[in-house]
Amino acid sequence: MQSGYDGPLPAHLGEVIVRTGGIEKYFGDNHVLRGVDLEVRQREAVMILGRSGSGKTTLLRCINFLEEPTVGWVEIDGLRMEADPLHQRNRAHQEQIRQLRLRAGMLFQDFNLFPHMTVLANCIEAPTRVRGVGKDEAVASAERYLDKVGLLNKRDEYPARLSGGQKQRVAIARALCMEPKVLLFDEPTSALDPELIGEVLKVMEDLAHEGTTMIVVTHEMHFAREAADRVVFMEEGVICEQGPPEQILDHPRQDGTRRFLRRFLEDRA
Amino acid sequence: MTTSAAPATSTARPEILDRIDASQRRKRTWFRIQFIAVWIGLVGALIYGLWATDNIDLEWMGTWAPFILGGTAVTVLVCVTSIILATALAIIGAISRLSSNAVVYSVASLYVSLVRGTPLLVQIFFVYFALPQMGVRLDALLCGILALGFNYGAYMTEVFRAGIQAVPRGQREAAQALGMPERNIMRRIVLPQAFRIVTPAIGNDFVAMIKDSALVSTIAVQELLWRAQRAGTQTFHTLQALLIAALVYWVLTIIFSYFQERLERRMARGDR
């Protein structure tokens, strides 16, 4: 049941690459995550749904320790990281977190491109300075990924000259340049004008179909249905229900999931 | 890009737009003319007043103006080296003031508090007159630069600290998520953006420093004011001598402000 599938696993999935164990997170006295165990397999696209305040974004941020969990552990590609909130400033701890982050690319709601660098410079900054890739190689791979998101022609622009959708696509290219084992998307389209959402979802869908491992926090139901291997529904800091999108979205078993979907449909109507 | 072309249906640009443009141009030109006229009028009146009251001695000017103007180079040298020192101190100070290391934070806070809490003139005297008592004897020019640099460094520390804090948190998070080490994040992502934020404030500080540099005349650094006073008191032409010095300070600040504006415009390239 850990896998999140009742029956046999979908054939294209590989080994478990991301694992979380008993993740709990308090903000002050606010108990936001109440023990989350999640397993994500290679080439799997997992979409996390849930009401705001259900802890889905916090969970995502805990996976790469942008928020250090209060209790629990995360494992990405064999590197296991225990939460150690008492020693957050410890240098060795920080270095281990950094190693964990190198295995996970993250996309943010508001893109967070570096405004003082061109698109290309955004893409090669971390590869050249952190991974030690040669400049030529970094540029070549940046151009490949920019081409993949359809923005090679913007390589010398500054982010300010791009639309929101273009910014998010550049951010995706930038993350891919680090060759991460998994991509974490934190509501990547919620800051976008409606007409720009499609272009970003399209890129994400392509990535999912090509077998990129991804964990996506989103409100885009239609997208989840199309691109997800598995939908995880969160409520009050725990995973309430999970399974293939048809099962969760069409035949939810839990009351929480039903309520959420009903309200969601009403909002859309 | 979304450069919206004119709708295909409208063939010609409506004539009213040209008239609006022309009217705005006229207004701008008229404003400029008035501006120049007022300045020329007022400065002219001032010069005439001095002339009419026999306060301008051309012969004196011929002999002494070059001597006074020779102090400009010293003033510029003091200012430029001090601002470089101040900027370096401010960056270190700001990062220290944001440090979670108690010792580093305390040292930086003490520096800021002490320097901001005592007069610049006292600091200059301290370096020049008091340090020798402790066996540290420095050249007057160096004393001036050190005092000015340390003084402005303290003020600019607070400016830089605010600038660093004004860089959106998401920038740091994005860099962290890319696995960049802390040192790299500061140097490559946060500081360049903080620099842009603080450039106007630093520019103001630099203009203020150009004028505060006059204080080092008190420790016999032969800069503008020192030379003006020397020339003025020796020959009883204090008014003219000080006017020349004042004029040079004024021109220096104008020149600097011009370059600052250009720099700000260049750095704004990535914005908007």
Side-chain angles (χ1 to χ4, degrees):
Chain A
M1 206 25 228
Q2 279 270 322
S3 72
Y5 299 92
D6 287 346
L9 291 179
H12 66 282
L13 300 188
E15 294 299 306
V16 172
I17 189 124
V18 179
R19 223 184 231 121
T20 76
I23 297 233
E24 299 200 37
K25 177 68 182 175
Y26 286 84
F27 289 114
D29 289 335
N30 189 7
H31 201 176
V32 178
L33 293 179
R34 298 161 180 259
V36 178
D37 301 297
L38 182 71
E39 275 185 1
V40 177
R41 292 177 173 268
Q42 275 174 334
R43 294 187 292 282
E44 190 175 21
V46 174
M47 313 273 162
I48 305 179
L49 305 182
R51 226 168 306 148
S52 59
S54 59
K56 51 197 191 315
T57 287
T58 306
L59 173 62
L60 199 71
R61 289 167 61 84
C62 280
I63 290 176
N64 70 351
F65 273 59
L66 272 186
E67 301 290 355
E68 174 130 11
T70 313
V71 185
W73 52 267
V74 174
E75 188 182 304
I76 305 180
D77 192 32
L79 180 71
R80 183 174 157 130
M81 194 64 216
E82 295 276 352
D84 189 2
L86 293 180
H87 299 94
Q88 272 186 39
R89 290 281 176 181
N90 179 300
R91 196 155 288 183
H93 186 68
Q94 287 293 328
E95 177 56 24
Q96 242 201 322
I97 290 178
R98 205 174 67 78
Q99 293 300 330
L100 186 79
R101 286 174 181 156
L102 284 173
R103 292 152 204 250
M106 176 126 184
L107 284 305
F108 299 86
Q109 213 178 105
D110 37 13
F111 332 124
N112 292 334
L113 292 180
F114 305 133
H116 57 301
M117 297 181 183
T118 63
V119 163
L120 185 69
N122 263 279
C123 290
I124 65 171
E125 176 69 17
T128 53
R129 284 175 195 274
V130 180
R131 280 179 62 229
V133 177
K135 173 122 196 258
D136 293 339
E137 196 188 325
V139 169
S141 113
E143 287 179 338
R144 198 168 64 247
Y145 287 122
L146 284 171
D147 193 33
K148 188 186 185 77
V149 301
L151 289 172
L152 186 53
N153 59 334
K154 301 288 186 196
R155 52 166 267 175
D156 296 319
E157 293 281 12
Y158 282 90
R161 299 280 307 269
L162 305 179
S163 72
Q166 291 171 333
K167 281 182 195 164
Q168 194 60 291
R169 283 148 67 199
V170 170
I172 292 172
R174 178 174 75 175
L176 289 172
C177 284
M178 291 298 279
E179 312 284 351
K181 302 291 181 189
V182 55
L183 283 181
L184 311 172
F185 291 85
D186 183 11
E187 303 193 23
T189 57
S190 33
L192 294 176
D193 289 337
E195 76 269 22
L196 300 178
I197 291 176
E199 61 189 68
V200 173
L201 293 183
K202 171 77 174 57
V203 168
M204 291 169 61
E205 211 174 316
D206 290 348
L207 285 173
H209 288 149
E210 285 163 25
T212 308
T213 311
M214 50 209 257
I215 307 175
V216 185
V217 169
T218 184
H219 292 290
E220 301 290 335
M221 293 296 172
H222 184 70
F223 170 68
R225 188 185 295 275
E226 291 299 311
D229 292 303
R230 171 161 52 118
V231 170
V232 170
F233 179 75
M234 283 188 70
E235 193 176 42
E236 297 188 346
V238 292
I239 294 176
C240 171
E241 183 172 6
Q242 57 179 323
E246 314 81 50
Q247 179 196 320
I248 301 298
L249 299 177
D250 299 333
H251 309 288
R253 293 170 198 170
Q254 302 291 329
D255 285 344
T257 320
R258 286 198 198 114
R259 271 198 306 274
F260 171 76
L261 290 171
R262 198 178 319 126
R263 185 169 318 162
F264 192 83
L265 290 174
E266 281 165 11
D267 284 352
R268 285 294 138 116
Chain B
M1 279 308 302
T2 53
T3 38
S4 53
T9 46
S10 82
T11 46
R13 187 178 141 93
E15 183 243 7
I16 183 75
L17 293 183
D18 292 331
R19 280 169 54 199
I20 292 172
D21 284 354
S23 145
Q24 279 171 349
R25 248 197 323 273
R26 265 199 308 279
K27 274 184 198 142
R28 268 200 304 273
T29 312
W30 179 227
F31 188 95
R32 242 176 250 155
I33 290 171
Q34 291 183 80
F35 177 86
I36 294 169
V38 170
W39 275 44
I40 289 178
L42 288 179
V43 174
L46 197 66
I47 292 173
Y48 177 78
L50 292 170
W51 185 264
T53 53
D54 263 346
N55 269 308
I56 290 187
D57 179 344
L58 284 179
E59 198 184 327
W60 181 90
M61 286 275 229
T63 37
W64 287 99
F67 172 73
I68 299 174
L69 292 177
T72 312
V74 181
T75 292
V76 170
L77 173 71
V78 168
C79 290
V80 171
T81 41
S82 301
I83 201 82
I84 292 171
L85 174 62
T87 306
L89 285 170
I91 293 172
I92 297 169
I95 293 174
S96 309
R97 289 267 288 156
L98 293 168
S99 167
S100 60
N101 181 317
V103 176
V104 170
Y105 171 83
S106 312
V107 170
S109 301
L110 179 66
Y111 162 59
V112 171
S113 172
L114 202 61
V115 170
R116 292 212 301 185
T118 52
L120 174 55
L121 191 55
V122 172
Q123 292 161 16
I124 292 171
F125 283 173
F126 186 85
V127 176
Y128 187 64
F129 296 118
L131 280 190
Q133 281 192 14
M134 294 159 62
V136 184
R137 210 171 296 274
L138 300 172
D139 170 62
L141 183 69
L142 188 58
C143 286
I145 290 168
L146 284 178
L148 272 176
F150 268 86
N151 182 276
Y152 273 79
Y155 285 95
M156 283 161 55
T157 289
E158 290 304 276
V159 172
F160 267 94
R161 187 181 54 82
I164 289 172
Q165 284 177 321
V167 175
R169 205 168 61 116
Q171 289 292 311
R172 175 178 283 280
E173 286 187 348
Q176 285 173 334
L178 285 167
M180 293 174 72
E182 204 50 38
R183 177 177 305 247
N184 238 316
I185 294 174
M186 187 49 89
R187 200 166 50 83
R188 298 284 307 170
I189 307 302
V190 176
L191 278 183
Q193 295 184 61
F195 256 114
R196 274 208 256 178
I197 295 169
V198 302
T199 307
I202 298 297
N204 281 343
D205 277 347
F206 193 35
V207 167
M209 179 189 274
I210 291 175
K211 293 168 298 171
D212 276 352
S213 73
L215 286 172
V216 304
S217 65
T218 56
I219 56 170
V221 175
Q222 302 193 5
E223 45 69 83
L224 264 174
L225 181 61
W226 186 88
R227 288 185 181 224
Q229 272 185 309
R230 188 65 175 275
T233 47
Q234 246 174 32
T235 60
F236 304 105
H237 279 75
T238 307
L239 178 75
Q240 263 188 79
L242 286 181
L243 270 181
I244 292 175
L247 202 66
V248 175
Y249 283 116
W250 189 31
V251 171
L252 283 180
T253 60
I254 289 174
I255 293 173
F256 174 74
S257 302
Y258 169 78
F259 282 112
Q260 186 198 349
E261 210 170 291
R262 276 187 37 163
L263 179 69
E264 276 172 38
R265 224 175 303 149
R266 218 179 70 102
M267 291 210 301
R269 224 177 14 186
D271 293 343
R272 260 152 283 283

